[in-house]
Amino acid sequence: MRCNHKSCGDKERVWLPYEYMGRERGLKPHLFCKDCGLLKNESSEKPRRIGYYINVIAEIGREIKITKVQTRLICKELERQGIDDNYGMDKHMQENLFTDVLKHYVNISDEVICRHLKPK
Ligand SMILES: [Zn+2]
């Protein structure tokens, strides 16, 4: 079961190291979920909605053959792995997950995926 995430209060924040642009930038108070203990992702790289990734699949589909069944399996897997969990995911994590899942179902290179994930 996926957790709906209930944030702890501001006073309960825990001080932990945080990373920004791949480098550690000291300690920062983090919010966490009272139910599952997951830390809230406070990266500046805000997650995108799942619809964004579904559009990217459609776009890639114009370049590389992706069947309807594959698209459905990819979407299901992305949902199962919580790509729309905007509490625990940031954009970077979403893109990694998206790349992994896509490559599992479709014969596609990182280069093609990267090109389509880039902001236009
Ligand atoms: Zn939770």
PDB file of all heavy atoms in Angstrom, residues 18-21 28 41-47 90-92:
ATOM      1  N   TYR A  18      21.933  17.738   3.620  1.00  0.00           N
ATOM      2  CA  TYR A  18      21.183  17.747   2.374  1.00  0.00           C
ATOM      3  C   TYR A  18      22.112  18.032   1.214  1.00  0.00           C
ATOM      4  O   TYR A  18      23.200  18.578   1.378  1.00  0.00           O
ATOM      5  CB  TYR A  18      20.036  18.753   2.440  1.00  0.00           C
ATOM      6  CG  TYR A  18      20.429  20.184   2.190  1.00  0.00           C
ATOM      7  CD1 TYR A  18      20.092  20.816   0.992  1.00  0.00           C
ATOM      8  CD2 TYR A  18      21.129  20.914   3.139  1.00  0.00           C
ATOM      9  CE1 TYR A  18      20.437  22.132   0.756  1.00  0.00           C
ATOM     10  CE2 TYR A  18      21.485  22.220   2.908  1.00  0.00           C
ATOM     11  CZ  TYR A  18      21.141  22.834   1.714  1.00  0.00           C
ATOM     12  OH  TYR A  18      21.480  24.123   1.463  1.00  0.00           O
ATOM     13  N   GLU A  19      21.650  17.606   0.067  1.00  0.00           N
ATOM     14  CA  GLU A  19      22.442  17.776  -1.148  1.00  0.00           C
ATOM     15  C   GLU A  19      21.769  18.761  -2.077  1.00  0.00           C
ATOM     16  O   GLU A  19      20.557  18.798  -2.171  1.00  0.00           O
ATOM     17  CB  GLU A  19      22.545  16.430  -1.890  1.00  0.00           C
ATOM     18  CG  GLU A  19      23.700  15.605  -1.437  1.00  0.00           C
ATOM     19  CD  GLU A  19      23.834  14.335  -2.266  1.00  0.00           C
ATOM     20  OE1 GLU A  19      23.349  14.323  -3.406  1.00  0.00           O
ATOM     21  OE2 GLU A  19      24.429  13.380  -1.748  1.00  0.00           O
ATOM     22  N   TYR A  20      22.573  19.547  -2.729  1.00  0.00           N
ATOM     23  CA  TYR A  20      22.036  20.421  -3.757  1.00  0.00           C
ATOM     24  C   TYR A  20      22.969  20.358  -4.951  1.00  0.00           C
ATOM     25  O   TYR A  20      24.174  20.488  -4.775  1.00  0.00           O
ATOM     26  CB  TYR A  20      21.898  21.849  -3.218  1.00  0.00           C
ATOM     27  CG  TYR A  20      21.366  22.808  -4.248  1.00  0.00           C
ATOM     28  CD1 TYR A  20      20.050  22.692  -4.712  1.00  0.00           C
ATOM     29  CD2 TYR A  20      22.169  23.810  -4.760  1.00  0.00           C
ATOM     30  CE1 TYR A  20      19.566  23.552  -5.665  1.00  0.00           C
ATOM     31  CE2 TYR A  20      21.678  24.682  -5.715  1.00  0.00           C
ATOM     32  CZ  TYR A  20      20.379  24.547  -6.173  1.00  0.00           C
ATOM     33  OH  TYR A  20      19.901  25.403  -7.123  1.00  0.00           O
ATOM     34  N   MET A  21      22.452  20.111  -6.116  1.00  0.00           N
ATOM     35  CA  MET A  21      23.249  19.949  -7.328  1.00  0.00           C
ATOM     36  C   MET A  21      24.362  18.913  -7.105  1.00  0.00           C
ATOM     37  O   MET A  21      25.505  19.116  -7.502  1.00  0.00           O
ATOM     38  CB  MET A  21      23.895  21.271  -7.751  1.00  0.00           C
ATOM     39  CG  MET A  21      22.962  22.449  -7.838  1.00  0.00           C
ATOM     40  SD  MET A  21      21.889  22.455  -9.299  1.00  0.00           S
ATOM     41  CE  MET A  21      23.025  23.175 -10.500  1.00  0.00           C
ATOM     42  N   LYS A  28      20.242  20.727   7.302  1.00  0.00           N
ATOM     43  CA  LYS A  28      19.019  21.462   7.051  1.00  0.00           C
ATOM     44  C   LYS A  28      17.895  20.725   7.770  1.00  0.00           C
ATOM     45  O   LYS A  28      17.904  19.504   7.827  1.00  0.00           O
ATOM     46  CB  LYS A  28      18.761  21.440   5.543  1.00  0.00           C
ATOM     47  CG  LYS A  28      17.827  22.492   5.042  1.00  0.00           C
ATOM     48  CD  LYS A  28      17.693  22.323   3.545  1.00  0.00           C
ATOM     49  CE  LYS A  28      16.493  23.080   3.052  1.00  0.00           C
ATOM     50  NZ  LYS A  28      16.294  22.914   1.619  1.00  0.00           N
ATOM     51  N   ASN A  41      11.114  15.313   0.391  1.00  0.00           N
ATOM     52  CA  ASN A  41      12.167  15.774  -0.491  1.00  0.00           C
ATOM     53  C   ASN A  41      12.088  17.274  -0.640  1.00  0.00           C
ATOM     54  O   ASN A  41      11.094  17.809  -1.096  1.00  0.00           O
ATOM     55  CB  ASN A  41      12.024  15.115  -1.850  1.00  0.00           C
ATOM     56  CG  ASN A  41      13.349  15.138  -2.543  1.00  0.00           C
ATOM     57  OD1 ASN A  41      13.927  16.197  -2.718  1.00  0.00           O
ATOM     58  ND2 ASN A  41      13.852  13.986  -2.878  1.00  0.00           N
ATOM     59  N   GLU A  42      13.135  17.965  -0.229  1.00  0.00           N
ATOM     60  CA  GLU A  42      13.092  19.419  -0.258  1.00  0.00           C
ATOM     61  C   GLU A  42      14.090  19.973  -1.246  1.00  0.00           C
ATOM     62  O   GLU A  42      14.590  21.079  -1.096  1.00  0.00           O
ATOM     63  CB  GLU A  42      13.317  19.972   1.149  1.00  0.00           C
ATOM     64  CG  GLU A  42      12.346  19.303   2.106  1.00  0.00           C
ATOM     65  CD  GLU A  42      12.071  20.095   3.349  1.00  0.00           C
ATOM     66  OE1 GLU A  42      12.183  21.323   3.295  1.00  0.00           O
ATOM     67  OE2 GLU A  42      11.752  19.479   4.365  1.00  0.00           O
ATOM     68  N   SER A  43      14.388  19.166  -2.223  1.00  0.00           N
ATOM     69  CA  SER A  43      15.280  19.606  -3.278  1.00  0.00           C
ATOM     70  C   SER A  43      14.605  20.725  -4.052  1.00  0.00           C
ATOM     71  O   SER A  43      13.390  20.853  -4.082  1.00  0.00           O
ATOM     72  CB  SER A  43      15.573  18.414  -4.177  1.00  0.00           C
ATOM     73  OG  SER A  43      15.683  18.812  -5.492  1.00  0.00           O
ATOM     74  N   SER A  44      15.411  21.561  -4.675  1.00  0.00           N
ATOM     75  CA  SER A  44      14.854  22.659  -5.468  1.00  0.00           C
ATOM     76  C   SER A  44      14.296  22.133  -6.796  1.00  0.00           C
ATOM     77  O   SER A  44      13.602  22.834  -7.504  1.00  0.00           O
ATOM     78  CB  SER A  44      15.935  23.681  -5.746  1.00  0.00           C
ATOM     79  OG  SER A  44      17.005  23.043  -6.390  1.00  0.00           O
ATOM     80  N   GLU A  45      14.643  20.875  -7.097  1.00  0.00           N
ATOM     81  CA  GLU A  45      14.184  20.264  -8.341  1.00  0.00           C
ATOM     82  C   GLU A  45      12.802  19.668  -8.137  1.00  0.00           C
ATOM     83  O   GLU A  45      12.661  18.478  -7.899  1.00  0.00           O
ATOM     84  CB  GLU A  45      15.148  19.160  -8.768  1.00  0.00           C
ATOM     85  CG  GLU A  45      16.542  19.629  -9.022  1.00  0.00           C
ATOM     86  CD  GLU A  45      16.669  20.214 -10.419  1.00  0.00           C
ATOM     87  OE1 GLU A  45      16.761  19.432 -11.366  1.00  0.00           O
ATOM     88  OE2 GLU A  45      16.625  21.448 -10.544  1.00  0.00           O
ATOM     89  N   LYS A  46      11.807  20.484  -8.228  1.00  0.00           N
ATOM     90  CA  LYS A  46      10.433  20.047  -7.951  1.00  0.00           C
ATOM     91  C   LYS A  46      10.011  18.925  -8.896  1.00  0.00           C
ATOM     92  O   LYS A  46      10.302  18.957 -10.077  1.00  0.00           O
ATOM     93  CB  LYS A  46       9.475  21.223  -8.116  1.00  0.00           C
ATOM     94  CG  LYS A  46       9.661  22.287  -7.042  1.00  0.00           C
ATOM     95  CD  LYS A  46       8.661  22.105  -5.927  1.00  0.00           C
ATOM     96  CE  LYS A  46       8.863  23.123  -4.807  1.00  0.00           C
ATOM     97  NZ  LYS A  46      10.077  22.854  -4.008  1.00  0.00           N
ATOM     98  N   PRO A  47       9.283  17.924  -8.324  1.00  0.00           N
ATOM     99  CA  PRO A  47       8.844  16.822  -9.183  1.00  0.00           C
ATOM    100  C   PRO A  47       7.802  17.296 -10.197  1.00  0.00           C
ATOM    101  O   PRO A  47       7.137  18.298  -9.985  1.00  0.00           O
ATOM    102  CB  PRO A  47       8.227  15.833  -8.200  1.00  0.00           C
ATOM    103  CG  PRO A  47       7.849  16.628  -7.020  1.00  0.00           C
ATOM    104  CD  PRO A  47       8.812  17.775  -6.943  1.00  0.00           C
ATOM    105  N   ASP A  90      12.063  13.824  -6.313  1.00  0.00           N
ATOM    106  CA  ASP A  90      12.335  15.097  -6.970  1.00  0.00           C
ATOM    107  C   ASP A  90      12.494  14.824  -8.461  1.00  0.00           C
ATOM    108  O   ASP A  90      12.405  13.679  -8.902  1.00  0.00           O
ATOM    109  CB  ASP A  90      13.538  15.845  -6.360  1.00  0.00           C
ATOM    110  CG  ASP A  90      14.854  15.135  -6.618  1.00  0.00           C
ATOM    111  OD1 ASP A  90      14.902  14.230  -7.471  1.00  0.00           O
ATOM    112  OD2 ASP A  90      15.843  15.483  -5.960  1.00  0.00           O
ATOM    113  N   LYS A  91      12.701  15.864  -9.216  1.00  0.00           N
ATOM    114  CA  LYS A  91      12.723  15.726 -10.661  1.00  0.00           C
ATOM    115  C   LYS A  91      13.807  14.745 -11.114  1.00  0.00           C
ATOM    116  O   LYS A  91      13.596  13.918 -11.984  1.00  0.00           O
ATOM    117  CB  LYS A  91      12.962  17.107 -11.292  1.00  0.00           C
ATOM    118  CG  LYS A  91      12.501  17.208 -12.704  1.00  0.00           C
ATOM    119  CD  LYS A  91      12.506  18.642 -13.157  1.00  0.00           C
ATOM    120  CE  LYS A  91      13.859  19.029 -13.658  1.00  0.00           C
ATOM    121  NZ  LYS A  91      13.956  20.431 -14.070  1.00  0.00           N
ATOM    122  N   HIS A  92      14.949  14.854 -10.458  1.00  0.00           N
ATOM    123  CA  HIS A  92      16.071  14.010 -10.819  1.00  0.00           C
ATOM    124  C   HIS A  92      15.754  12.527 -10.589  1.00  0.00           C
ATOM    125  O   HIS A  92      16.023  11.679 -11.433  1.00  0.00           O
ATOM    126  CB  HIS A  92      17.287  14.451 -10.001  1.00  0.00           C
ATOM    127  CG  HIS A  92      18.544  13.772 -10.417  1.00  0.00           C
ATOM    128  ND1 HIS A  92      19.134  14.011 -11.631  1.00  0.00           N
ATOM    129  CD2 HIS A  92      19.306  12.847  -9.793  1.00  0.00           C
ATOM    130  CE1 HIS A  92      20.213  13.257 -11.729  1.00  0.00           C
ATOM    131  NE2 HIS A  92      20.342  12.549 -10.640  1.00  0.00           N
TER     132      HIS A  92
END
